[in-house]
Amino acid sequence: MSLLQAILMGVIQGLTEFLPVSSSGHLALFKILFGVETETGILYDVLLHVGTLLAICVVYYRDLGRLIVEGVGILRDIFANLAVFFRNTGKSERKKEPYQRVICNSYRKLVVLLLVSTIPTGVIGFFGRDVVDMASEILIVPGICLIVTAVLLLIADRVKDRGKLPKNVTYTDAFGVGIAQGIATLPGLSRSGTTITACLLSGYQRNFAVKYSFLMSIPAILGALVLQLKDIAGTKVTGAEISYYIIGMLIAAVIGYVCIKTMLVVVRKKKFTIFAIYCFLIGALSIGGYFYAV
């Protein structure tokens, strides 16, 4: 992989991770069309996602800080309640100590919702990663998935905002959105487009749907990175490749930051249609290119 290719892939990742046009689909198409090969498989793809993860952390640093604090608080209260349980053993009802209410605010509820969403995403991602690897090498798959993305975006623009915030969102809603994110690992299915649509169909308030979509991507990206690091144990990476990877990550992070801000406006003003048209056209061209090559 050349430096120019690394830079272009960083630009593609930064633009397409948060705009609902599928970063994985565009990266797959780029590598197929230009014959890009990396000695470390899709590790570079994952590292590009880490770059955009940095953008999420910058935009939502206040929320992330509060989520960490409340997550620690949840663990503290769970252990405190366990201690109370053991102290209450054998006591009469009148002498038993009261238990702490663990989920006592919106941020604690959000922590649990994100954990619930992560479960199906992790299961699908772990057992389906070989399928995703193979699908990334076949031009027709990103093409079909991009057209599916176009349909989802058209649906998102037409879904009524039912105004659900963390206190109103059910754990079933969160689990369903997690399934959507797991399926969106297929190249061509926009992760942000798929999960935001799933959130809106579940009744999430529009701005909260964007925030939830981006926050729930954090554990998914970190999990994918761990899996890739395990798979490339012993793989030799040159100093030049490392520098290319770092440059691509930084480019993806900077552009991703701008695109997150853009997405907040797009979702609020229901402007998905232009992205749907784009995905449909690129998907159709990909499918046509596949049959032309055959």
Side-chain angles (χ1 to χ4, degrees):
M1 181 175 63
S2 68
L3 175 59
L4 178 59
Q5 290 173 331
I7 291 173
L8 289 174
M9 289 176 70
V11 172
I12 291 170
Q13 173 66 21
L15 285 172
T16 60
E17 173 64 18
F18 301 119
L19 298 181
V21 292
S22 177
S23 60
S24 60
H26 281 74
L27 289 173
L29 290 173
F30 181 82
K31 288 192 287 187
I32 291 170
L33 293 174
F34 295 97
V36 178
E37 294 185 7
T38 58
E39 296 297 325
T40 53
I42 65 170
L43 173 64
Y44 184 51
D45 293 20
V46 177
L47 291 178
L48 288 175
H49 280 80
V50 173
T52 45
L53 173 62
L54 295 175
I56 297 173
C57 292
V58 171
V59 173
Y60 293 112
Y61 74 93
R62 288 191 181 89
D63 292 294
L64 285 171
R66 184 70 185 275
L67 288 171
I68 292 170
V69 170
E70 296 300 343
V72 172
I74 288 173
L75 291 175
R76 181 195 63 217
D77 288 350
I78 288 174
F79 284 113
N81 284 342
L82 283 173
V84 171
F85 172 80
F86 287 115
R87 289 199 299 270
N88 283 342
T89 303
K91 291 183 179 180
S92 65
E93 288 295 325
R94 294 175 59 183
K95 294 183 177 180
K96 286 185 177 181
E97 300 176 38
Y99 291 98
Q100 295 278 355
R101 185 184 174 191
V102 177
I103 309 302
C104 56
N105 59 50
S106 294
Y107 272 98
R108 289 198 176 191
K109 176 73 176 293
L110 181 55
V111 169
V112 180
L113 289 171
L114 291 170
L115 289 174
V116 171
S117 292
T118 299
I119 293 171
T121 297
V123 171
I124 296 171
F126 180 80
F127 289 104
R129 54 185 174 149
D130 290 337
V131 174
V132 173
D133 288 349
M134 289 186 291
S136 299
E137 298 173 0
I138 306 172
L139 191 59
I140 194 173
V141 176
I144 292 173
C145 289
L146 279 165
I147 291 177
V148 173
T149 295
V151 174
L152 291 174
L153 295 178
L154 291 174
I155 292 172
D157 263 355
R158 287 153 181 79
V159 174
K160 185 179 179 180
D161 185 344
R162 286 186 276 150
K164 281 187 180 180
L165 293 171
K167 65 179 181 179
N168 311 116
V169 175
T170 67
Y171 297 119
T172 302
D173 293 333
F175 194 83
V177 175
I179 292 175
Q181 179 170 249
I183 296 172
T185 54
L186 285 170
L189 271 181
S190 166
R191 194 209 62 80
S192 61
T194 301
T195 54
I196 289 172
T197 301
C199 286
L200 293 174
L201 288 172
S202 297
Y204 287 46
Q205 189 262 352
R206 299 189 80 85
N207 281 347
F208 177 58
V210 177
K211 179 186 292 188
Y212 192 85
S213 170
F214 293 155
L215 290 176
M216 71 183 288
S217 73
I218 295 175
I221 293 171
L222 292 176
L225 178 61
V226 170
L227 289 176
Q228 288 304 309
L229 290 176
K230 177 179 67 66
D231 290 343
I232 65 161
T235 301
K236 294 182 179 180
V237 183
T238 67
E241 286 178 321
I242 292 174
S243 64
Y244 294 170
Y245 289 180
I246 293 173
I247 291 171
M249 286 173 60
L250 293 176
I251 290 173
V254 173
I255 296 178
Y257 175 86
V258 176
C259 289
I260 291 177
K261 297 292 188 179
T262 302
M263 272 299 293
L264 290 169
V265 177
V266 168
V267 175
R268 186 169 61 249
K269 295 187 176 181
K270 299 184 179 182
K271 299 292 186 180
F272 274 136
T273 301
I274 186 66
F275 296 107
I277 295 171
Y278 172 81
C279 288
F280 181 82
L281 290 174
I282 299 298
L285 287 172
S286 301
I287 294 172
Y290 171 81
F291 285 109
Y292 177 78
V294 172

